Structures are given as C-alpha cells and as structure tokens.
C-alpha cells in the first residue's frame, strides 16, 4: 500500500470517528417526543426567553409561554381551572387565570408567608407548605380562606437547636389517596454525614411521634 493511499485511509477513519463522536454528543430524543420551538407571546420575551428555545413534547403538541412569574417554584391546578404558583422569595402564592387567548392574568392569592413552596389540593382544600409549617385552606370563589394548621414546628434556620444551620428550608407537600398529608423534611446540607449522629438526631420518625427531624417525610393522618 502506498503512503498516499495509507494517508487517505487514515483520513477517512478520522472523519468516521469524528462523525460517531458527534452522534454520541447528541442523543436521540426519548421515544414519542419531538423538539418544537417555544412560542413566546408579545411582551413576554424578556431574558431568558429573548432567544429561540426548544423543548421535547409529544408528537402533535405545541408549547407556549402562559405567564411570567419571577422566581416561581411549584404549581398546582385549582378545582376552578386556575393555576396556583408558589413564590418563596417574596412569601406569596399567586393565582393565574386563563384569559382565553393562551395567556393568563396574575394576582396574589396569599401573602406574608414564610417561603411557601409546596402546594396541593384535596377537593376544595388547599394545602400550603411553609418552611416551618403546613396549613390547610378552604378554596372557593378564587380565594383561600380559613387557614388551619396541619403540621407545625417543622425545622428551619430559626429552629434553636439547629443553631441557624439548615440547608433545605423549603418544604414540599402531597396528599395521598387515603387523605394523609405528606411533607418533606430536608437535611441540613447536601453532604451532611453528621446528620446521622447529630444532637438532636436528624433522622425522621414517619409518624412524627419522636420529634426527630431530618431527611425524610412527615405523615399526618386526616382526623
């Protein structure tokens, strides 16, 4: 084999390897999903939506911006077809009302809360998880009324025995099919081996009977 033919062969091998590497760098979309361009209504194109964005959605679907809620965290559909969104940074839960044109008006449903995060519905009862407690509200006519404590004394940075050291103050909440309410309780940090031997202990008793908090979940049975 001549030097020239060998060089051409090596070039072809390099190009083939480069093509394979490029294919591996862009994995195929999950089955049934296709990329579509995000539709941004006029007036909602502030960063990071000031450039073209795409998302993977089921074939035949489209995706568009519904509303802009700065620092939004979690969302839940209300029985009346509106969307509630928690905003821990300013202590609010906002309500998004569809306007029939693919967008929504935004108003404050609850305010003055301590970093609300998790929100969930069970019928007309709205559950809101703050850093230190979970409350139940009666939701009707677009308003959340009659707050009732469900779980109190959850650990956060203000818990005296934790000395201000608490890395996961935001709580999530869910309601089981049996009506039990579940709330997450995070550890003091991302890699906190000392949680295993901390005083007070940072493990969690699912029944909440021992008063031990930490990574896990607290279950509250409906009366």
């Amino acid at each position: 084999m001549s030097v020239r033919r060998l060089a051409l062969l090596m070039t072809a091998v390099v190009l083939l390897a480069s093509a394979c590497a490029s294919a591996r760098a862009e994995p195929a979309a999950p089955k049934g999903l296709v990329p579509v361009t995000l539709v941004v209504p006029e007036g909602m194109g502030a960063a990071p939506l000031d450039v073209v964005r795409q998302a993977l959605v089921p074939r035949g679907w489209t995706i568009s911006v519904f509303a802009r809620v700065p620092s939004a965290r979690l969302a839940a559909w209300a029985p009346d077809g509106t969307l509630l969104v928690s905003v821990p940074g300013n202590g609010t839960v906002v309500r998004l009302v569809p306007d029939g044109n693919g967008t929504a008006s935004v108003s404050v449903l609850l305010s003055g809360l301590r970093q609300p995060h998790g929100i969930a519905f069970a019928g007309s009862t709205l559950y809101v998880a703050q850093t230190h407690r979970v409350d139940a509200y009666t939701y009707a006519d677009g308003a959340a009324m009659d707050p009732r404590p469900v779980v109190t004394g959850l650990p956060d940075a203000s818990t005296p025995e934790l000395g201000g050291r608490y890395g996961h103050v935001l709580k999530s909440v869910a309601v089981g099919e049996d009506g039990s309410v579940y709330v997450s309780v995070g550890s003091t940090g991302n890699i906190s081996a000392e949680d295993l031997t901390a005083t007070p202990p940072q493990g969690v008793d699912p029944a909440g009977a021992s008063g031990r908090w930490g990574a896990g979940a607290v279950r509250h049975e409906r009366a």
Side-chain angles (χ1 to χ4, degrees), residues 140-162:
D141 300 322
M145 306 166 289
D146 187 26
R148 306 173 298 281
V150 175
V151 180
T152 59
L154 294 174
D156 66 4
S158 68
T159 303
E161 55 265 42
L162 294 178

mmCIF file of all heavy atoms in Angstrom, residues 140-162:
data_model
loop_
_atom_site.group_PDB
_atom_site.id
_atom_site.type_symbol
_atom_site.label_atom_id
_atom_site.label_comp_id
_atom_site.label_asym_id
_atom_site.label_seq_id
_atom_site.Cartn_x
_atom_site.Cartn_y
_atom_site.Cartn_z
ATOM 1 N N ALA A 140 -62.393 28.659 47.592
ATOM 2 C CA ALA A 140 -63.694 28.874 46.953
ATOM 3 C C ALA A 140 -63.728 30.262 46.338
ATOM 4 O O ALA A 140 -63.178 31.216 46.911
ATOM 5 C CB ALA A 140 -64.834 28.718 47.959
ATOM 6 N N ASP A 141 -64.355 30.373 45.184
ATOM 7 C CA ASP A 141 -64.535 31.662 44.515
ATOM 8 C C ASP A 141 -63.214 32.405 44.334
ATOM 9 O O ASP A 141 -63.141 33.635 44.477
ATOM 10 C CB ASP A 141 -65.529 32.541 45.291
ATOM 11 C CG ASP A 141 -66.899 31.896 45.420
ATOM 12 O OD1 ASP A 141 -67.335 31.252 44.446
ATOM 13 O OD2 ASP A 141 -67.523 32.023 46.496
ATOM 14 N N GLY A 142 -62.157 31.659 44.047
ATOM 15 C CA GLY A 142 -60.870 32.284 43.788
ATOM 16 C C GLY A 142 -60.161 32.817 45.009
ATOM 17 O O GLY A 142 -59.224 33.617 44.886
ATOM 18 N N ALA A 143 -60.574 32.372 46.193
ATOM 19 C CA ALA A 143 -59.953 32.851 47.432
ATOM 20 C C ALA A 143 -59.599 31.674 48.328
ATOM 21 O O ALA A 143 -60.273 30.638 48.309
ATOM 22 C CB ALA A 143 -60.894 33.808 48.164
ATOM 23 N N ALA A 144 -58.536 31.829 49.107
ATOM 24 C CA ALA A 144 -58.124 30.826 50.098
ATOM 25 C C ALA A 144 -58.453 31.384 51.473
ATOM 26 O O ALA A 144 -57.921 32.421 51.870
ATOM 27 C CB ALA A 144 -56.639 30.535 49.969
ATOM 28 N N MET A 145 -59.343 30.684 52.189
ATOM 29 C CA MET A 145 -59.874 31.219 53.449
ATOM 30 C C MET A 145 -59.712 30.216 54.582
ATOM 31 O O MET A 145 -59.420 29.043 54.355
ATOM 32 C CB MET A 145 -61.365 31.558 53.263
ATOM 33 C CG MET A 145 -61.659 32.476 52.082
ATOM 34 S SD MET A 145 -63.419 32.529 51.671
ATOM 35 C CE MET A 145 -63.651 30.894 50.970
ATOM 36 N N ASP A 146 -59.936 30.701 55.796
ATOM 37 C CA ASP A 146 -59.999 29.865 56.989
ATOM 38 C C ASP A 146 -58.769 28.969 57.139
ATOM 39 O O ASP A 146 -58.877 27.742 57.153
ATOM 40 C CB ASP A 146 -61.277 29.005 56.942
ATOM 41 C CG ASP A 146 -61.505 28.223 58.239
ATOM 42 O OD1 ASP A 146 -61.028 28.680 59.293
ATOM 43 O OD2 ASP A 146 -62.144 27.155 58.173
ATOM 44 N N PRO A 147 -57.555 29.542 57.283
ATOM 45 C CA PRO A 147 -56.356 28.716 57.434
ATOM 46 C C PRO A 147 -56.377 27.893 58.718
ATOM 47 O O PRO A 147 -56.763 28.389 59.778
ATOM 48 C CB PRO A 147 -55.223 29.746 57.461
ATOM 49 C CG PRO A 147 -55.870 31.017 57.909
ATOM 50 C CD PRO A 147 -57.263 30.989 57.358
ATOM 51 N N ARG A 148 -55.990 26.624 58.595
ATOM 52 C CA ARG A 148 -55.975 25.712 59.746
ATOM 53 C C ARG A 148 -54.635 24.989 59.772
ATOM 54 O O ARG A 148 -54.198 24.461 58.755
ATOM 55 C CB ARG A 148 -57.111 24.690 59.611
ATOM 56 C CG ARG A 148 -58.475 25.352 59.402
ATOM 57 C CD ARG A 148 -59.569 24.361 59.092
ATOM 58 N NE ARG A 148 -59.393 23.603 57.866
ATOM 59 C CZ ARG A 148 -59.652 24.070 56.645
ATOM 60 N NH1 ARG A 148 -60.046 25.324 56.473
ATOM 61 N NH2 ARG A 148 -59.504 23.288 55.578
ATOM 62 N N PRO A 149 -53.951 24.959 60.918
ATOM 63 C CA PRO A 149 -52.660 24.275 60.989
ATOM 64 C C PRO A 149 -52.816 22.767 60.823
ATOM 65 O O PRO A 149 -53.706 22.152 61.410
ATOM 66 C CB PRO A 149 -52.140 24.639 62.382
ATOM 67 C CG PRO A 149 -53.374 24.921 63.179
ATOM 68 C CD PRO A 149 -54.346 25.547 62.219
ATOM 69 N N VAL A 150 -51.954 22.179 60.015
ATOM 70 C CA VAL A 150 -51.925 20.731 59.821
ATOM 71 C C VAL A 150 -50.700 20.146 60.515
ATOM 72 O O VAL A 150 -50.793 19.194 61.285
ATOM 73 C CB VAL A 150 -51.906 20.381 58.321
ATOM 74 C CG1 VAL A 150 -51.763 18.878 58.108
ATOM 75 C CG2 VAL A 150 -53.181 20.888 57.642
ATOM 76 N N VAL A 151 -49.533 20.721 60.240
ATOM 77 C CA VAL A 151 -48.277 20.332 60.895
ATOM 78 C C VAL A 151 -47.549 21.623 61.261
ATOM 79 O O VAL A 151 -47.413 22.512 60.427
ATOM 80 C CB VAL A 151 -47.384 19.481 59.970
ATOM 81 C CG1 VAL A 151 -46.090 19.100 60.687
ATOM 82 C CG2 VAL A 151 -48.108 18.236 59.514
ATOM 83 N N THR A 152 -47.091 21.741 62.494
ATOM 84 C CA THR A 152 -46.331 22.915 62.922
ATOM 85 C C THR A 152 -44.988 22.468 63.508
ATOM 86 O O THR A 152 -44.761 21.286 63.731
ATOM 87 C CB THR A 152 -47.107 23.718 63.978
ATOM 88 O OG1 THR A 152 -47.366 22.885 65.117
ATOM 89 C CG2 THR A 152 -48.434 24.222 63.425
ATOM 90 N N GLY A 153 -44.115 23.420 63.739
ATOM 91 C CA GLY A 153 -42.838 23.108 64.364
ATOM 92 C C GLY A 153 -41.850 22.401 63.467
ATOM 93 O O GLY A 153 -40.906 21.762 63.959
ATOM 94 N N LEU A 154 -42.035 22.483 62.131
ATOM 95 C CA LEU A 154 -41.072 21.870 61.224
ATOM 96 C C LEU A 154 -39.739 22.621 61.319
ATOM 97 O O LEU A 154 -39.716 23.826 61.552
ATOM 98 C CB LEU A 154 -41.598 21.902 59.788
ATOM 99 C CG LEU A 154 -42.847 21.058 59.513
ATOM 100 C CD1 LEU A 154 -43.343 21.299 58.089
ATOM 101 C CD2 LEU A 154 -42.569 19.581 59.737
ATOM 102 N N PRO A 155 -38.626 21.931 61.147
ATOM 103 C CA PRO A 155 -37.322 22.581 61.325
ATOM 104 C C PRO A 155 -36.968 23.501 60.171
ATOM 105 O O PRO A 155 -37.220 23.199 59.006
ATOM 106 C CB PRO A 155 -36.361 21.396 61.381
ATOM 107 C CG PRO A 155 -37.022 20.356 60.527
ATOM 108 C CD PRO A 155 -38.494 20.507 60.787
ATOM 109 N N ASP A 156 -36.384 24.641 60.512
ATOM 110 C CA ASP A 156 -35.802 25.526 59.511
ATOM 111 C C ASP A 156 -34.655 26.279 60.182
ATOM 112 O O ASP A 156 -34.230 25.916 61.278
ATOM 113 C CB ASP A 156 -36.850 26.458 58.888
ATOM 114 C CG ASP A 156 -37.437 27.460 59.870
ATOM 115 O OD1 ASP A 156 -37.001 27.508 61.038
ATOM 116 O OD2 ASP A 156 -38.347 28.208 59.472
ATOM 117 N N ALA A 157 -34.156 27.310 59.535
ATOM 118 C CA ALA A 157 -32.994 28.014 60.064
ATOM 119 C C ALA A 157 -33.256 28.672 61.416
ATOM 120 O O ALA A 157 -32.315 28.996 62.136
ATOM 121 C CB ALA A 157 -32.515 29.054 59.056
ATOM 122 N N SER A 158 -34.527 28.863 61.770
ATOM 123 C CA SER A 158 -34.849 29.502 63.049
ATOM 124 C C SER A 158 -34.982 28.508 64.194
ATOM 125 O O SER A 158 -35.155 28.909 65.347
ATOM 126 C CB SER A 158 -36.159 30.297 62.919
ATOM 127 O OG SER A 158 -37.264 29.413 62.747
ATOM 128 N N THR A 159 -34.908 27.204 63.916
ATOM 129 C CA THR A 159 -35.022 26.192 64.964
ATOM 130 C C THR A 159 -33.821 26.309 65.913
ATOM 131 O O THR A 159 -32.677 26.145 65.476
ATOM 132 C CB THR A 159 -35.071 24.784 64.360
ATOM 133 O OG1 THR A 159 -36.171 24.716 63.436
ATOM 134 C CG2 THR A 159 -35.245 23.732 65.435
ATOM 135 N N PRO A 160 -34.061 26.598 67.203
ATOM 136 C CA PRO A 160 -32.948 26.894 68.123
ATOM 137 C C PRO A 160 -31.872 25.827 68.163
ATOM 138 O O PRO A 160 -30.677 26.135 68.099
ATOM 139 C CB PRO A 160 -33.658 27.028 69.479
ATOM 140 C CG PRO A 160 -35.055 27.422 69.146
ATOM 141 C CD PRO A 160 -35.370 26.713 67.866
ATOM 142 N N GLU A 161 -32.264 24.557 68.247
ATOM 143 C CA GLU A 161 -31.260 23.507 68.413
ATOM 144 C C GLU A 161 -30.404 23.276 67.166
ATOM 145 O O GLU A 161 -29.375 22.594 67.229
ATOM 146 C CB GLU A 161 -31.910 22.187 68.830
ATOM 147 C CG GLU A 161 -33.001 21.696 67.917
ATOM 148 C CD GLU A 161 -34.384 22.112 68.401
ATOM 149 O OE1 GLU A 161 -34.523 23.272 68.839
ATOM 150 O OE2 GLU A 161 -35.299 21.278 68.351
ATOM 151 N N LEU A 162 -30.816 23.846 66.023
ATOM 152 C CA LEU A 162 -30.014 23.714 64.809
ATOM 153 C C LEU A 162 -29.019 24.857 64.657
ATOM 154 O O LEU A 162 -28.190 24.839 63.750
ATOM 155 C CB LEU A 162 -30.919 23.637 63.576
ATOM 156 C CG LEU A 162 -31.804 22.394 63.480
ATOM 157 C CD1 LEU A 162 -32.683 22.458 62.244
ATOM 158 C CD2 LEU A 162 -30.973 21.120 63.473
#
